[in-house]
Amino acid sequence: MRVPVPLSKAWRLFNHGPVTLISVAHEGRENVMAAAWVTPLDFDPPKLSVVLAADTYTRDLIEASRTLVIQVPTVSMIDAIEGVGGCSGRDVDKWTRFSLDRAREPGVEAPLVDGCVAWMAARIVDEPELASKYDLFIVEGFAAWADDAVYDGARLRAEVPRELRTVHHIAGGVYVVDGEVVRARSIEGA
Amino acid sequence: MRVPVPLSKAWRLFNHGPVTLISVAHEGRENVMAAAWVTPLDFDPPKLSVVLAADTYTRDLIEASRTLVIQVPTVSMIDAIEGVGGCSGRDVDKWTRFSLDRAREPGVEAPLVDGCVAWMAARIVDEPELASKYDLFIVEGFAAWADDAVYDGARLRAEVPRELRTVHHIAGGVYVVDGEVVRARSIEGA
């Protein structure tokens, strides 16, 4: 079940560097793309840095709407992740082609992609030079949610069923799934 | 064995979002810290975005030397990763405390941390406003290497021994190790 995540803890949903899906809506048009180059930038309010390649349909819609949802898909969605990253919403309806369902949250224009395990609704911070020089966008979250199967109310659970695990893109359609969880031994006083 | 990686492919060493170690040298002082908020920003020449918190010793040294090495440690180094992230090089010699050995490469001022599986030597791109507003640095790689046990000459190997796998920081000293490798089925034409 999707449950709210306090904004001050929402950065933790992205801290382990998973592949994300980015969704957007603008004037009745809705699209979704995959993005691996997403990382936390600040804690509270949470900021993420997001690379959005030039000339993509998703970027055009985001620059128009100024809002987006960044979400973390699971290994169960691996073919859809690769698929939405490999074609343009200008040419196809990705929602239909990749059998992605949409959920809605009040006050959030972009749809949330069903089946993901973490979501952040965010606004673009106005940094036009970063976008033009580096395709880099800074976004600030204004709401976040997680599937309570993977989130314990404070952070991502250490142990989750295989089908709900998140993935990391190596290259060329090859991904690594979250594996064993380890806790570091504090050796501060060593 | 550490082997050179072509610069045009060096972004792939960081694409899966692992925790990194950042090392620096300046006027005889050398330090190392952990950084999870590191992500590719461009392909060729490779650029990474790196968040370096204000008032850290490592950032002071990097801002002085303008160069650094960003490297990917393994699960075997988990206690050292947590350790170098939990204290300051102003107070302790982290190399000694966490038993980290250094390797040298010609033309690279910063030491490479032994035991890692991927390394990129980089220069700071001059963006002082990003540093002051967001603690965000853009760096451009000028040399890269990988351990040939995990790198096949073009990309990270899909299957590597457990002790050489990289890790992703969830939060609070809890990390997830790279697990199963999956290949997406192309459904472009579906």
Side-chain angles (χ1 to χ4, degrees):
Chain A
M1 191 178 70
R2 189 169 65 248
V3 297
V5 172
L7 265 190
S8 63
K9 293 173 177 167
W11 63 272
R12 291 180 180 168
L13 304 173
F14 301 90
N15 203 55
H16 62 306
V19 164
T20 69
L21 296 179
I22 293 181
S23 55
V24 62
H26 182 65
E27 294 182 351
R29 294 174 296 164
E30 297 190 340
N31 200 32
V32 57
M33 62 175 276
W37 294 0
V38 171
T39 201
L41 180 62
D42 207 351
F43 298 101
D44 188 14
K47 289 195 186 73
L48 303 177
S49 67
V50 179
V51 177
L52 300 172
D55 304 322
T56 59
Y57 186 53
T58 300
R59 174 163 162 181
D60 288 351
L61 295 179
I62 290 171
E63 291 192 308
S65 80
R66 312 300 293 170
T67 68
L68 67 165
V69 170
I70 303 164
Q71 48 238 305
V72 184
T74 72
V75 64
S76 307
M77 302 165 72
I78 192 81
D79 296 330
I81 296 166
E82 184 71 9
V84 299
C87 63
S88 171
R90 288 196 190 93
D91 307 320
V92 297
D93 181 328
K94 297 188 192 180
W95 307 98
T96 302
R97 175 171 291 190
F98 303 110
S99 304
L100 293 171
D101 290 326
R102 284 162 273 195
R104 307 285 168 180
E105 285 285 348
V108 180
E109 193 179 4
L112 280 61
V113 181
D114 252 2
C116 290
V117 290
W119 301 261
M120 182 188 286
R123 295 187 188 90
I124 299 291
V125 176
D126 194 40
E127 292 283 4
E129 191 181 320
L130 280 187
S132 62
K133 282 175 76 172
Y134 301 112
D135 297 328
L136 180 62
F137 292 78
I138 293 174
V139 308
E140 183 175 306
F142 62 89
W145 307 265
D147 184 325
D148 60 3
V150 307
Y151 179 77
D152 69 8
R155 64 189 63 196
L156 293 174
R157 297 182 191 279
E159 305 293 349
V160 301
R162 192 265 182 190
E163 69 270 17
L164 292 182
R165 293 188 189 176
T166 67
V167 295
H168 309 260
H169 193 208
I170 297 177
V174 177
Y175 297 77
V176 61
V177 186
D178 287 338
E180 174 193 3
V181 170
V182 294
R183 180 176 293 275
R185 186 172 57 98
S186 172
I187 46 177
E188 170 64 20
Chain B
M1 191 177 70
R2 189 168 67 249
V3 297
V5 172
L7 265 189
S8 62
K9 293 174 177 165
W11 63 272
R12 291 180 180 166
L13 304 174
F14 301 89
N15 203 55
H16 62 306
V19 165
T20 69
L21 296 179
I22 294 180
S23 54
V24 61
H26 182 64
E27 295 182 349
R29 293 174 297 164
E30 297 190 340
N31 200 31
V32 56
M33 62 175 276
W37 295 2
V38 171
T39 201
L41 181 63
D42 208 350
F43 299 101
D44 187 15
K47 288 194 185 75
L48 303 177
S49 67
V50 179
V51 177
L52 299 173
D55 304 322
T56 59
Y57 186 54
T58 300
R59 175 162 162 183
D60 287 352
L61 294 179
I62 290 171
E63 291 192 308
S65 81
R66 311 300 292 170
T67 69
L68 68 165
V69 170
I70 303 165
Q71 49 238 306
V72 184
T74 73
V75 64
S76 306
M77 302 165 71
I78 191 80
D79 296 330
I81 296 167
E82 184 71 10
V84 299
C87 62
S88 171
R90 288 196 190 94
D91 307 320
V92 296
D93 181 329
K94 297 187 191 180
W95 307 98
T96 303
R97 176 172 290 189
F98 303 109
S99 304
L100 293 171
D101 289 326
R102 284 163 273 194
R104 308 286 169 180
E105 285 284 349
V108 180
E109 192 178 5
L112 279 62
V113 181
D114 251 3
C116 289
V117 290
W119 301 260
M120 181 188 287
R123 295 186 188 90
I124 299 291
V125 175
D126 193 39
E127 292 283 2
E129 190 180 321
L130 281 186
S132 62
K133 282 175 76 171
Y134 301 113
D135 296 328
L136 180 63
F137 292 77
I138 293 174
V139 308
E140 183 175 305
F142 63 88
W145 306 266
D147 184 326
D148 61 3
V150 308
Y151 180 78
D152 70 7
R155 64 188 64 195
L156 293 174
R157 296 182 191 279
E159 305 292 350
V160 299
R162 192 265 183 191
E163 69 270 17
L164 292 181
R165 292 189 189 176
T166 67
V167 295
H168 308 261
H169 193 208
I170 296 176
V174 178
Y175 298 77
V176 60
V177 186
D178 286 338
E180 174 192 5
V181 170
V182 294
R183 180 176 293 274
R185 186 172 58 97
S186 172
I187 47 177
E188 171 62 19

